[in-house]
Amino acid sequence: MAGNEISIEPIGSKKDRARFVDLGRAFAAREPHSVPQLRSEQLELVDPDRNPFFGHASHQFFIATRGGKDVGRISAHIDHLALELPPEQGMGPGTGMFGYFDAEDEEVAKALLAAAEEWLRGQGMTHVLGPISMSIWEEPGLLVKGQDHPPTIMMGHHPAHYQGWIEGAGYEPAKTLLTYDLDIQKGFPPLIQRIVQSGERNARINVRHVDLKRWDEEVAVVLGILNDAWSSNWGFVPFTPEEIAYAGKKLKPLIHRRLNMIAEVDGRPVAFMLTFPDVNGVLRKIDGKMFPFGWISLLKWMRKPSGTIMRVPLMGVLKELHNSRLASQLAFMMIEKIRQNAVEWLGSTRGEIGWILDDNQGMNAIADAIESKVNREYIIYRRQL
């Protein structure tokens, strides 16, 4: 019947972007453990005039309709910086991406994926990775393990059946991303404690808090280390100066000096660790709405996020130190300082580390050494066009 036909509509106006975001919010609201995000933040992420990602990306948003009802959405996009990377790092020439994937059923899912693929093929792409919504630094991968508990800050959350729909459309896993759950109330094993204590006695090493009075400078230091430390990683795309400034502005309200560290050796910054209190706890309470009174709860929480889960989304050590004893020592020292501050200052009981690539032996070894356990898995899929 004509009324049951699926129509895929390319959209781009401000009004339609709002429709695109609200459709995603409606799908998320169906999931028992999903956390409503701030709508204003979601609108900003898909606005080419506000998100600097679009300064080096081409894109097309699509909405699926059936019988006059919106039944799915998807983005197709090309990160032109990713095209310049070596293919062995997962991207390189011919790499397109899809993201913001939601669908009412498998028929809709296949139609949306086909539309994204057709657009990418028309742009000269030869293969597609996804879901990546939309920068690799935002929400990469499809959640395939961990739907039974709420996501933490900046973590995607997807229903289990999406996995079968994407794989049924011919996609194969390209990379698995892991997050680790950690009981931060108990101290680390004796071996790790001895490594930390040895570092504390080393006069060359200084592990310090970030300096919020020099925030812009500190952001440049951190992301400079990140661009070097991660430059050989699968899926790495460097931050541009515009994205560095944007990230600094967006992240500052979540930064507490006691929870974020820079490690120096002989006075030179060589490593960092960022830790964000999990704002999702308060967003769930206010249903993702700032008004009329949600902003009061959010502001109070931001001043002192007591009892909150701590998430470590980013850490890095300069590449010259990779595979050295010093690199792991600096990591353990920063983790321990942050762990102590989170417990003593905020009464936190849990931490979460990730994402970590499943084949990143160094980081997975650190996660194992501090007795953390995998609590979420994400897959980035790949398909030839």
Side-chain angles (χ1 to χ4, degrees):
M1 296 176 61
N4 290 325
E5 290 181 359
I6 298 168
S7 175
I8 307 297
E9 175 189 356
I11 60 103
S13 69
K14 181 178 180 180
K15 180 179 179 181
D16 280 339
R17 288 199 306 270
R19 175 182 160 205
F20 184 87
V21 165
D22 289 338
L23 181 57
R25 293 174 65 84
F27 272 100
R30 301 178 184 181
E31 298 305 305
H33 296 288
S34 182
V35 178
Q37 300 298 296
L38 293 176
R39 184 173 182 268
S40 58
E41 297 284 334
Q42 293 176 310
L43 288 169
E44 184 171 325
L45 286 174
V46 299
D47 187 342
D49 293 328
R50 302 175 70 191
N51 184 347
F53 168 75
F54 292 98
H56 54 85
S58 304
H59 75 285
Q60 180 61 64
F61 298 125
F62 297 93
I63 291 179
T65 61
R66 182 170 55 197
K69 178 184 177 183
D70 291 344
V71 291
R73 65 172 190 161
I74 199 169
S75 67
H77 51 282
I78 302 165
D79 186 335
H80 295 284
L81 295 182
L83 301 182
E84 302 171 4
L85 300 174
E88 58 268 24
Q89 287 183 226
M91 295 191 181
T95 303
M97 305 176 195
F98 79 85
Y100 289 121
F101 173 77
D102 284 298
E104 188 75 31
D105 53 43
E106 187 168 9
E107 184 183 16
V108 173
K110 289 183 176 179
L112 285 165
L113 290 166
E117 292 163 9
E118 181 180 5
W119 185 86
L120 292 169
R121 200 177 291 114
Q123 301 293 313
M125 299 299 101
T126 59
H127 55 277
V128 56
L129 294 174
I132 300 174
S133 306
M134 293 178 64
S135 163
I136 193 70
W137 298 106
E138 291 171 12
E139 289 189 5
L142 180 80
L143 181 68
V144 298
K145 174 185 175 182
Q147 285 94 349
D148 59 346
H149 56 282
T152 54
I153 178 175
M154 297 170 65
M155 302 295 288
H157 193 78
H158 315 105
H161 51 261
Y162 282 4
Q163 180 178 8
W165 295 353
I166 291 174
E167 292 178 0
Y171 285 79
E172 297 181 348
K175 189 62 65 174
T176 299
L177 314 176
L178 308 175
T179 65
Y180 287 83
D181 181 75
L182 175 65
D183 178 356
I184 64 174
Q185 287 184 299
K186 64 178 184 178
F188 291 143
L191 173 61
I192 305 305
Q193 293 180 25
R194 289 195 294 271
I195 292 173
V196 171
Q197 291 164 4
S198 171
E200 290 172 344
R201 292 193 296 268
N202 187 337
R204 298 178 59 204
I205 297 175
N206 177 40
V207 176
R208 64 172 179 82
H209 303 123
V210 297
D211 186 348
L212 296 179
K213 294 180 180 178
R214 298 187 300 112
W215 174 242
D216 290 343
E217 296 174 42
E218 297 283 63
V219 169
V221 167
V222 164
L223 295 181
I225 295 172
L226 177 67
N227 274 344
D228 176 80
W230 287 42
S231 59
S232 299
N233 282 13
W234 188 97
F236 169 80
V237 178
F239 277 92
T240 65
E242 293 78 12
E243 286 174 307
I244 289 174
Y246 181 75
K249 179 181 177 181
K250 298 286 286 186
L251 295 178
K252 188 173 182 180
L254 294 171
I255 295 294
H256 296 269
R257 61 183 297 274
R258 306 183 206 191
L259 304 175
N260 296 274
M261 300 289 170
I262 293 175
E264 301 171 335
V265 175
D266 296 328
R268 177 190 174 209
V270 298
F272 75 92
M273 182 172 293
L274 298 185
T275 305
F276 300 157
D278 181 27
V279 70
N280 278 359
V282 69
L283 289 180
R284 178 182 283 271
K285 292 180 181 178
I286 66 174
D287 196 30
K289 299 174 183 176
M290 290 283 281
F291 301 101
F293 303 114
W295 66 273
I296 299 175
S297 297
L298 186 59
L299 182 61
K300 180 179 179 181
W301 176 89
M302 290 173 68
R303 288 174 176 166
K304 188 171 183 179
S306 299
T308 305
I309 298 169
M310 296 291 138
R311 183 185 169 213
V312 178
L314 292 173
M315 67 168 294
V317 181
L318 288 179
K319 191 187 296 185
E320 67 194 61
L321 298 177
H322 285 190
N323 302 315
S324 70
R325 182 179 184 277
L326 179 59
S328 57
Q329 184 172 46
L330 295 174
F332 288 134
M333 292 175 70
M334 291 187 290
I335 293 171
E336 175 60 8
K337 282 184 176 290
I338 293 169
R339 184 195 71 80
Q340 290 180 359
N341 288 339
V343 171
E344 295 171 5
W345 178 51
L346 295 174
S348 296
T349 61
R350 285 186 52 224
E352 186 173 279
I353 303 172
W355 308 274
I356 299 175
L357 296 173
D358 63 339
D359 56 0
N360 186 332
Q361 296 180 357
M363 280 304 305
N364 287 309
I366 288 172
D368 290 340
I370 59 176
E371 300 180 342
S372 58
K373 304 296 181 184
V374 173
N375 69 329
R376 256 187 282 270
E377 294 182 10
Y378 294 81
I379 294 178
I380 296 177
Y381 287 93
R382 181 184 180 96
R383 186 175 189 270
Q384 292 299 119
L385 292 175

